[in-house]
Amino acid sequence: KPFDVVEHCHNLGLGVVETRLPGTDPEAIKTLRQKVEGYHMRLILDVGYPRDEAGVAAFDAAVKAASECGAISLHAAMTGRRYEDMNTVEAFRQNFERCQKSIALAEPVLRKHRMRLGIENHKGWRSAEQAAWLKRVSSEWVGVHFDFGNNVSLCEEPALTLRNLLPYTFACHIKDMAVEWYEEGFLLSEVPLGEGFLDIKGMVATLRKKDPNMALDLEMITRDPLKIPVFTEKYWVTFDDAYSPLPGRDFAKIVAIVNTNKPSRPLPRVTGMSPEAQLKLEDDCISKSIEYARQMLA
């Protein structure tokens, strides 16, 4: 059935919602803007990005529509999971260059409409790689939609990811993570805020110090744990000392994190559950996260 995520977030008492652009139809834009403003919410939109010169005009129309919707920023997740999707350093290099070309095409459009685009750290690049890229772009309209936990999958302790990406961050996916070993590496799961190993209070304080009004939208994905196969050759093939290094000390820190942060309860799993049971589990995890945020994060 059609699902109105703005209405749902409002009913949960939230103040920011991230969703997709409803299209460029003026009536759809007007309806979305009136609803968001009527609920005194802030809006972040996913509109895509130009993959080549032929896509610039459509991107321009989408950014214009997002501006007319009243969006405070855009969000883009430009990669899949590096260790699953790419099989060589060259494949990683080509993918990274395509992403950089896309943003080079997008930046003049963003500047024209005065709309910020936050590029999520989405298990594609280590944070130093993403930060160096954004430093080269050097645009107030291109930054980071910071994800609290994704770079754990690339053997980064969250404090390092935040330190590298903080200068470019203007919105966030707030989440907590839990980890445990399996035969080929470690499992990584989103868990309700406060039940994982992330320093949620410290990270939020750091982000609020940069911008007291920064939008933090909850990303509580209820699913089977992700497998991070750090003990396989496949995991390491896209890392190269010359082009894209992954220092041994960073790997050692992740090993220490997994060893010293055993989950307080079994990691969430949905395989074999009915749709109704999955929905209840997801609602419960979201409710726990909202309660934690209200009590512990003001």
PDB file of all heavy atoms in Angstrom, residues 195-214:
ATOM      1  N   GLU A 195      22.292   0.603  22.551  1.00  0.00           N
ATOM      2  CA  GLU A 195      22.521  -0.827  22.744  1.00  0.00           C
ATOM      3  C   GLU A 195      23.774  -1.316  22.027  1.00  0.00           C
ATOM      4  O   GLU A 195      24.133  -2.486  22.149  1.00  0.00           O
ATOM      5  CB  GLU A 195      21.305  -1.630  22.268  1.00  0.00           C
ATOM      6  CG  GLU A 195      20.058  -1.391  23.111  1.00  0.00           C
ATOM      7  CD  GLU A 195      18.917  -2.335  22.775  1.00  0.00           C
ATOM      8  OE1 GLU A 195      19.129  -3.275  21.967  1.00  0.00           O
ATOM      9  OE2 GLU A 195      17.808  -2.138  23.307  1.00  0.00           O
ATOM     10  N   GLY A 196      24.447  -0.452  21.285  1.00  0.00           N
ATOM     11  CA  GLY A 196      25.652  -0.842  20.565  1.00  0.00           C
ATOM     12  C   GLY A 196      26.906  -0.284  21.207  1.00  0.00           C
ATOM     13  O   GLY A 196      26.903   0.147  22.361  1.00  0.00           O
ATOM     14  N   PHE A 197      27.997  -0.284  20.439  1.00  0.00           N
ATOM     15  CA  PHE A 197      29.284   0.142  20.986  1.00  0.00           C
ATOM     16  C   PHE A 197      29.669   1.571  20.611  1.00  0.00           C
ATOM     17  O   PHE A 197      30.674   2.089  21.094  1.00  0.00           O
ATOM     18  CB  PHE A 197      30.402  -0.815  20.539  1.00  0.00           C
ATOM     19  CG  PHE A 197      30.789  -0.681  19.090  1.00  0.00           C
ATOM     20  CD1 PHE A 197      31.774   0.221  18.686  1.00  0.00           C
ATOM     21  CD2 PHE A 197      30.187  -1.465  18.121  1.00  0.00           C
ATOM     22  CE1 PHE A 197      32.138   0.345  17.357  1.00  0.00           C
ATOM     23  CE2 PHE A 197      30.543  -1.351  16.788  1.00  0.00           C
ATOM     24  CZ  PHE A 197      31.521  -0.434  16.414  1.00  0.00           C
ATOM     25  N   LEU A 198      28.873   2.238  19.764  1.00  0.00           N
ATOM     26  CA  LEU A 198      29.232   3.592  19.367  1.00  0.00           C
ATOM     27  C   LEU A 198      29.070   4.563  20.534  1.00  0.00           C
ATOM     28  O   LEU A 198      28.166   4.425  21.365  1.00  0.00           O
ATOM     29  CB  LEU A 198      28.365   4.061  18.199  1.00  0.00           C
ATOM     30  CG  LEU A 198      28.439   3.279  16.890  1.00  0.00           C
ATOM     31  CD1 LEU A 198      27.677   4.026  15.797  1.00  0.00           C
ATOM     32  CD2 LEU A 198      29.874   3.038  16.453  1.00  0.00           C
ATOM     33  N   ASP A 199      29.936   5.573  20.564  1.00  0.00           N
ATOM     34  CA  ASP A 199      29.845   6.642  21.556  1.00  0.00           C
ATOM     35  C   ASP A 199      28.830   7.665  21.042  1.00  0.00           C
ATOM     36  O   ASP A 199      29.180   8.746  20.578  1.00  0.00           O
ATOM     37  CB  ASP A 199      31.219   7.281  21.763  1.00  0.00           C
ATOM     38  CG  ASP A 199      31.173   8.459  22.731  1.00  0.00           C
ATOM     39  OD1 ASP A 199      30.189   8.580  23.485  1.00  0.00           O
ATOM     40  OD2 ASP A 199      32.129   9.267  22.706  1.00  0.00           O
ATOM     41  N   ILE A 200      27.553   7.303  21.124  1.00  0.00           N
ATOM     42  CA  ILE A 200      26.502   8.144  20.555  1.00  0.00           C
ATOM     43  C   ILE A 200      26.519   9.540  21.175  1.00  0.00           C
ATOM     44  O   ILE A 200      26.471  10.550  20.467  1.00  0.00           O
ATOM     45  CB  ILE A 200      25.117   7.492  20.758  1.00  0.00           C
ATOM     46  CG1 ILE A 200      25.063   6.124  20.046  1.00  0.00           C
ATOM     47  CG2 ILE A 200      24.017   8.399  20.239  1.00  0.00           C
ATOM     48  CD1 ILE A 200      25.137   6.196  18.556  1.00  0.00           C
ATOM     49  N   LYS A 201      26.587   9.608  22.511  1.00  0.00           N
ATOM     50  CA  LYS A 201      26.567  10.913  23.171  1.00  0.00           C
ATOM     51  C   LYS A 201      27.739  11.779  22.730  1.00  0.00           C
ATOM     52  O   LYS A 201      27.581  12.971  22.449  1.00  0.00           O
ATOM     53  CB  LYS A 201      26.586  10.730  24.686  1.00  0.00           C
ATOM     54  CG  LYS A 201      25.342  10.100  25.263  1.00  0.00           C
ATOM     55  CD  LYS A 201      25.481  10.003  26.781  1.00  0.00           C
ATOM     56  CE  LYS A 201      24.334   9.247  27.402  1.00  0.00           C
ATOM     57  NZ  LYS A 201      24.504   9.094  28.872  1.00  0.00           N
ATOM     58  N   GLY A 202      28.926  11.195  22.692  1.00  0.00           N
ATOM     59  CA  GLY A 202      30.106  11.955  22.306  1.00  0.00           C
ATOM     60  C   GLY A 202      30.067  12.407  20.860  1.00  0.00           C
ATOM     61  O   GLY A 202      30.438  13.551  20.544  1.00  0.00           O
ATOM     62  N   MET A 203      29.598  11.530  19.959  1.00  0.00           N
ATOM     63  CA  MET A 203      29.537  11.883  18.550  1.00  0.00           C
ATOM     64  C   MET A 203      28.512  12.986  18.312  1.00  0.00           C
ATOM     65  O   MET A 203      28.765  13.941  17.568  1.00  0.00           O
ATOM     66  CB  MET A 203      29.219  10.635  17.710  1.00  0.00           C
ATOM     67  CG  MET A 203      30.311   9.574  17.763  1.00  0.00           C
ATOM     68  SD  MET A 203      29.842   8.006  16.964  1.00  0.00           S
ATOM     69  CE  MET A 203      30.132   8.414  15.245  1.00  0.00           C
ATOM     70  N   VAL A 204      27.354  12.874  18.971  1.00  0.00           N
ATOM     71  CA  VAL A 204      26.326  13.903  18.815  1.00  0.00           C
ATOM     72  C   VAL A 204      26.827  15.235  19.371  1.00  0.00           C
ATOM     73  O   VAL A 204      26.609  16.296  18.774  1.00  0.00           O
ATOM     74  CB  VAL A 204      25.017  13.467  19.493  1.00  0.00           C
ATOM     75  CG1 VAL A 204      24.030  14.632  19.591  1.00  0.00           C
ATOM     76  CG2 VAL A 204      24.379  12.320  18.718  1.00  0.00           C
ATOM     77  N   ALA A 205      27.526  15.205  20.506  1.00  0.00           N
ATOM     78  CA  ALA A 205      28.060  16.438  21.080  1.00  0.00           C
ATOM     79  C   ALA A 205      29.049  17.102  20.126  1.00  0.00           C
ATOM     80  O   ALA A 205      29.047  18.334  19.964  1.00  0.00           O
ATOM     81  CB  ALA A 205      28.722  16.142  22.423  1.00  0.00           C
ATOM     82  N   THR A 206      29.891  16.305  19.496  1.00  0.00           N
ATOM     83  CA  THR A 206      30.864  16.846  18.538  1.00  0.00           C
ATOM     84  C   THR A 206      30.157  17.485  17.355  1.00  0.00           C
ATOM     85  O   THR A 206      30.523  18.585  16.908  1.00  0.00           O
ATOM     86  CB  THR A 206      31.803  15.733  18.053  1.00  0.00           C
ATOM     87  OG1 THR A 206      32.538  15.228  19.173  1.00  0.00           O
ATOM     88  CG2 THR A 206      32.782  16.244  16.998  1.00  0.00           C
ATOM     89  N   LEU A 207      29.131  16.809  16.837  1.00  0.00           N
ATOM     90  CA  LEU A 207      28.388  17.333  15.691  1.00  0.00           C
ATOM     91  C   LEU A 207      27.618  18.598  16.069  1.00  0.00           C
ATOM     92  O   LEU A 207      27.575  19.562  15.302  1.00  0.00           O
ATOM     93  CB  LEU A 207      27.444  16.261  15.159  1.00  0.00           C
ATOM     94  CG  LEU A 207      28.146  15.073  14.484  1.00  0.00           C
ATOM     95  CD1 LEU A 207      27.240  13.859  14.460  1.00  0.00           C
ATOM     96  CD2 LEU A 207      28.601  15.441  13.081  1.00  0.00           C
ATOM     97  N   ARG A 208      27.031  18.618  17.264  1.00  0.00           N
ATOM     98  CA  ARG A 208      26.282  19.800  17.692  1.00  0.00           C
ATOM     99  C   ARG A 208      27.200  20.983  17.956  1.00  0.00           C
ATOM    100  O   ARG A 208      26.793  22.142  17.821  1.00  0.00           O
ATOM    101  CB  ARG A 208      25.467  19.472  18.942  1.00  0.00           C
ATOM    102  CG  ARG A 208      24.188  18.696  18.638  1.00  0.00           C
ATOM    103  CD  ARG A 208      23.390  18.494  19.911  1.00  0.00           C
ATOM    104  NE  ARG A 208      22.057  17.976  19.596  1.00  0.00           N
ATOM    105  CZ  ARG A 208      21.305  17.339  20.477  1.00  0.00           C
ATOM    106  NH1 ARG A 208      21.751  17.135  21.701  1.00  0.00           N
ATOM    107  NH2 ARG A 208      20.110  16.911  20.142  1.00  0.00           N
ATOM    108  N   LYS A 209      28.424  20.705  18.364  1.00  0.00           N
ATOM    109  CA  LYS A 209      29.382  21.792  18.554  1.00  0.00           C
ATOM    110  C   LYS A 209      29.676  22.466  17.227  1.00  0.00           C
ATOM    111  O   LYS A 209      29.833  23.689  17.148  1.00  0.00           O
ATOM    112  CB  LYS A 209      30.666  21.261  19.184  1.00  0.00           C
ATOM    113  CG  LYS A 209      31.682  22.346  19.517  1.00  0.00           C
ATOM    114  CD  LYS A 209      32.895  21.758  20.221  1.00  0.00           C
ATOM    115  CE  LYS A 209      33.907  22.858  20.553  1.00  0.00           C
ATOM    116  NZ  LYS A 209      35.114  22.296  21.222  1.00  0.00           N
ATOM    117  N   LYS A 210      29.753  21.663  16.151  1.00  0.00           N
ATOM    118  CA  LYS A 210      29.958  22.225  14.814  1.00  0.00           C
ATOM    119  C   LYS A 210      28.729  22.995  14.356  1.00  0.00           C
ATOM    120  O   LYS A 210      28.841  24.077  13.782  1.00  0.00           O
ATOM    121  CB  LYS A 210      30.281  21.118  13.822  1.00  0.00           C
ATOM    122  CG  LYS A 210      30.525  21.612  12.390  1.00  0.00           C
ATOM    123  CD  LYS A 210      30.862  20.447  11.476  1.00  0.00           C
ATOM    124  CE  LYS A 210      31.322  20.946  10.108  1.00  0.00           C
ATOM    125  NZ  LYS A 210      30.248  21.578   9.339  1.00  0.00           N
ATOM    126  N   ASP A 211      27.544  22.415  14.598  1.00  0.00           N
ATOM    127  CA  ASP A 211      26.302  23.047  14.167  1.00  0.00           C
ATOM    128  C   ASP A 211      25.179  22.609  15.105  1.00  0.00           C
ATOM    129  O   ASP A 211      24.693  21.485  15.008  1.00  0.00           O
ATOM    130  CB  ASP A 211      25.976  22.640  12.724  1.00  0.00           C
ATOM    131  CG  ASP A 211      24.650  23.208  12.233  1.00  0.00           C
ATOM    132  OD1 ASP A 211      24.017  23.977  12.975  1.00  0.00           O
ATOM    133  OD2 ASP A 211      24.237  22.862  11.107  1.00  0.00           O
ATOM    134  N   PRO A 212      24.760  23.490  16.029  1.00  0.00           N
ATOM    135  CA  PRO A 212      23.713  23.112  16.993  1.00  0.00           C
ATOM    136  C   PRO A 212      22.400  22.694  16.338  1.00  0.00           C
ATOM    137  O   PRO A 212      21.599  21.989  16.966  1.00  0.00           O
ATOM    138  CB  PRO A 212      23.522  24.381  17.823  1.00  0.00           C
ATOM    139  CG  PRO A 212      24.788  25.154  17.648  1.00  0.00           C
ATOM    140  CD  PRO A 212      25.264  24.853  16.262  1.00  0.00           C
ATOM    141  N   ASN A 213      22.163  23.108  15.100  1.00  0.00           N
ATOM    142  CA  ASN A 213      20.910  22.804  14.418  1.00  0.00           C
ATOM    143  C   ASN A 213      21.051  21.695  13.367  1.00  0.00           C
ATOM    144  O   ASN A 213      20.165  21.523  12.531  1.00  0.00           O
ATOM    145  CB  ASN A 213      20.361  24.066  13.751  1.00  0.00           C
ATOM    146  CG  ASN A 213      19.989  25.123  14.763  1.00  0.00           C
ATOM    147  OD1 ASN A 213      19.317  24.835  15.744  1.00  0.00           O
ATOM    148  ND2 ASN A 213      20.446  26.346  14.547  1.00  0.00           N
ATOM    149  N   MET A 214      22.156  20.953  13.416  1.00  0.00           N
ATOM    150  CA  MET A 214      22.369  19.904  12.418  1.00  0.00           C
ATOM    151  C   MET A 214      21.240  18.877  12.445  1.00  0.00           C
ATOM    152  O   MET A 214      20.801  18.448  13.512  1.00  0.00           O
ATOM    153  CB  MET A 214      23.707  19.203  12.660  1.00  0.00           C
ATOM    154  CG  MET A 214      24.061  18.181  11.591  1.00  0.00           C
ATOM    155  SD  MET A 214      25.705  17.460  11.824  1.00  0.00           S
ATOM    156  CE  MET A 214      26.758  18.881  11.503  1.00  0.00           C
TER     157      MET A 214
END
